[in-house]
Each structure stands twice: as C-alpha cells, then as structure tokens.
Amino acid sequence: MLQLEDVRVSFGPTTALDGVTLELGAAERLAVLGPSGSGKSTLLRAIAGLEPLAAGRVAWAGQDLTNVPVHQRGFGLMFQDYALFPHRDVAGNVAFGLETHAMPVARRKVRVDEVLALVGLRGYGARRIDQLSGGEQQRVALARALAPTPRLLMLDEPLGALDRGLRTRLLDELAGLFAQLGLPIIYVTHDQEEALALGERVAVLNSGRLEAVLPARELWLKPPNEFVARFLGMNNVLPLATNNERLATPWGALELGTAPADSAKVLIRPDALTLSAQGPLSGVVAAVTFRGESTTILVRPNGAADGPLLEAHLKTADSTPPVVGQTVTLSVDPSGVVFLS
C-alpha cells in the first residue's frame, strides 16, 4: 500500500533522511526503531506531507503523493506530545479531525462516541483535558487520530512520556487494538520492547539511514550488524578473522563452524550463556544485577582486573546467581552465536 522510494529530507546542510526505501502492506504493523536524532519523527512527517522531500517519492498504492496536500492524504498522525487542545473537552478534541470532513453534526457525535469506546474511554466526552491522567490523554490523542477513519495510522513515540508500569499495561492494550483495527500502522519508538511487541516488522534507523527491516523475531534472534545488535542491548560483539572456525576470546576459545564470507564480527547473545561446569568460557564475576525474570552478570577474564566484560542473562528460576568475585564457567548455546556483517 505505502511505498517509499529513496526518500531524502534535508534541513539546510543536515541530512535527516538519507535514501530510505521501504514498503508497508495492507494491515501491516511496522515499528520504526532508533536512537534520538536518527530521523524517526522526520520519516513520519515526510509520509504525512509535513516535510518536503529533497529527493525520492512517497506513494500510496502506486499513486505519487508529492502534490497531494496533507489533509487529502487520508493519513492519521498521533504526535509525541499528543497536541491536545486544553480549551476543548475530550469530545471536542476527538471531533477536531472530523470538522474538516463536512460530516453532519449528529453523525460526528456518533463517530466520536464510537472511537472513545474503542480506546476504552466511553463516557469521557465531557471531561476537560486537565482532568485526565497521562494514559487517558494518550488515548484521547489516539481516538482523535482514528476518528476520520484513516487509511494509514502513524504514531510518534506515544508511550514515551508515561511511567513504566502504565507503559507496560498500555502496550498490551495497543497490541490488541491494532489487531482489531486492521489498518496499516507505523509505530515510531526508541524503546526496543515496544518495537518488538507492536511491530510485525521492525525498521531500524541510524543517522537517517535504514540499518535493517526485518520481522521482529528475526531481528531479535539474528541482528544483521553491530549497530543493530548493540542498540538492542547485546554488547558481546567480537572481531572475527575471515573464515575463522574457532574464535579465541578473552574468556576462552569458542567453536564457531564456518563463518559466512562477508562476516566481520560475531555476536554472543547474552541469553545464550548459561552457568555450566563444562563450558568453554570462564572468568570472574564483576557485577550482578537482578532484573526479575533474569539476572545479568558481567564476567571479566581470569586474572584481568580491568579486562573486557562478557554479559550473560541468566534465567532467575533456573539457578542461584553467582556473587561478585566468584569464578564461573559458561556454556554457549550455538544458536545464540550470530555472525554479523
């Protein structure tokens, strides 16, 4: 449905988007993930028509949208700060997008009630914006974006201002709502958990360029390069000699098998490491952090007071974690060793 072809956006000498090409299918959910300043919000604004393109094109079902104004594209955009009107009540905010569609007043009221019920705010129409919690304001902004029945829904970091507990709850609710809507959706975030939970595919942006566009599970299990691996929180990245079948690490030697010819580095996924008396890697525990379902340990090479750190995520229920200063031996699940380009 949506096609981006070599899209470029510049702000003076600064290139915000640099040759972005991707497609979004009907009812597909795409999460756009990247650090601050990577071009995520600019990408949404370019698709919506709020930022002019320096090059490339945005198309919908093959139709070039270059000369189509914002209000005629049929896209819904939910801004990061929600951009709600404090002088309007909830119903007035949700109805704002309908007022430009020449919809009869009675039908407009019905539609407002429909989308408020859809986002779990039935009966909230008369409330003032300053009477709402952050999560409720987020839902009002989402309802406003949905009210005109957009053919594409775009959300710019919608959970970024919320506390972690509320974010986790709304994340589950959004996943169910998105499945119910059946719309193509682009969800921008800098949070890996949100991207993997809500995107069928995940696009990773870095300084305006696409590093990867992959199904969420594939991206997590086999990140394609060092930037993606590290941005996903996996830092056990080591240099790899060409076709090196046995990797010499500071913690011991690891059998790899034949590496692809274009591989430059190898990732040892932290969740592929487990405590074992017979493992090939060993070292001294430098730090232990309890994280609920897992415990993170950082392991220095034996005899190295300031050597590199190997990160392992141990399942809390599987074993008693070691203590700082303890010598440990680690086994490696071969499926958790990933060759990087």
Side-chain angles (χ1 to χ4, degrees):
M1 301 296 290
L2 179 72
Q3 301 99 33
L4 277 67
E5 299 175 5
D6 197 25
V7 167
R8 299 173 188 270
V9 174
S10 299
F11 302 113
T14 302
T15 300
L17 292 177
D18 189 5
V20 173
T21 296
L22 59 83
E23 292 190 5
L24 183 68
E28 182 184 8
R29 300 188 306 275
L30 176 73
V32 179
L33 177 66
S36 297
S38 60
K40 304 185 300 297
S41 297
T42 301
L43 178 65
L44 293 192
R45 293 176 62 84
I47 294 170
L50 295 169
E51 296 292 351
L53 305 187
R57 73 169 194 152
V58 176
W60 181 265
Q63 177 194 4
D64 192 333
L65 299 180
T66 301
N67 297 316
V68 178
V70 175
H71 67 280
Q72 292 181 4
R73 295 194 179 195
F75 299 162
L77 175 57
M78 178 179 165
F79 294 98
Q80 182 175 358
D81 60 0
Y82 307 154
L84 298 175
F85 303 116
H87 63 283
R88 290 186 175 221
D89 60 14
V90 167
N93 271 274
V94 176
F96 177 77
L98 300 173
E99 294 170 1
T100 60
H101 286 67
M103 181 180 288
V105 174
R107 174 60 190 140
R108 189 187 306 163
K109 183 180 184 306
V110 170
R111 180 58 181 160
V112 168
D113 290 343
E114 287 174 350
V115 292
L116 284 177
L118 185 64
V119 300
L121 293 179
R122 187 189 302 274
Y124 276 62
R127 296 197 187 187
R128 299 197 316 266
I129 295 303
D130 61 6
Q131 293 177 316
L132 305 179
S133 68
E136 289 166 343
Q137 290 184 25
Q138 183 255 5
R139 296 185 195 199
V140 173
L142 178 57
R144 184 178 61 187
L146 290 171
T149 316
R151 56 184 181 176
L152 168 68
L153 177 63
M154 298 182 288
L155 303 97
D156 189 0
E157 306 240 21
L159 305 183
L162 305 180
D163 64 76
R164 184 166 183 83
L166 182 56
R167 281 175 54 232
T168 300
R169 179 165 60 83
L170 290 178
L171 193 60
D172 294 336
E173 293 182 5
L174 283 177
L177 176 60
F178 289 170
Q180 181 181 349
L181 290 173
L183 286 173
I185 294 171
I186 302 177
Y187 185 101
V188 156
T189 181
H190 65 272
D191 185 273
Q192 297 88 338
E193 180 185 2
E194 289 180 30
L196 296 170
L198 296 176
E200 294 170 294
R201 287 191 301 154
V202 178
V204 182
L205 271 176
N206 177 25
S207 299
R209 299 187 66 86
L210 279 176
E211 293 281 351
V213 184
L214 291 169
R217 188 171 186 274
E218 181 179 344
L219 184 80
W220 176 253
L221 291 176
K222 294 188 179 297
N225 58 45
E226 182 175 2
F227 175 84
V228 174
R230 291 190 183 278
F231 191 72
L232 291 175
M234 306 179 201
N235 295 310
N236 299 332
V237 178
L238 301 166
L240 177 68
T242 304
N243 295 324
N244 184 6
E245 296 187 8
R246 193 167 188 267
L247 180 67
T249 82
W251 308 273
L254 189 62
E255 300 297 331
L256 294 178
T258 304
D262 61 347
S263 296
K265 297 187 177 182
V266 64
L267 164 70
I268 304 174
R269 293 172 49 84
D271 56 3
L273 293 163
T274 55
L275 297 176
S276 170
Q278 302 299 322
L281 307 182
S282 65
V284 178
V285 177
V288 179
T289 306
F290 177 63
R291 301 185 184 278
E293 292 184 358
S294 68
T295 298
T296 298
I297 64 171
L298 300 179
V299 180
R300 291 196 190 278
N302 289 312
D306 59 352
L309 294 170
L310 181 69
E311 182 175 338
H313 296 172
L314 309 176
K315 291 183 179 179
T316 299
D318 287 352
S319 60
T320 301
V323 297
V324 173
Q326 181 178 339
T327 299
V328 294
T329 304
L330 297 163
S331 290
V332 184
D333 182 343
S335 68
V337 178
V338 183
F339 296 106
L340 306 177
S341 59

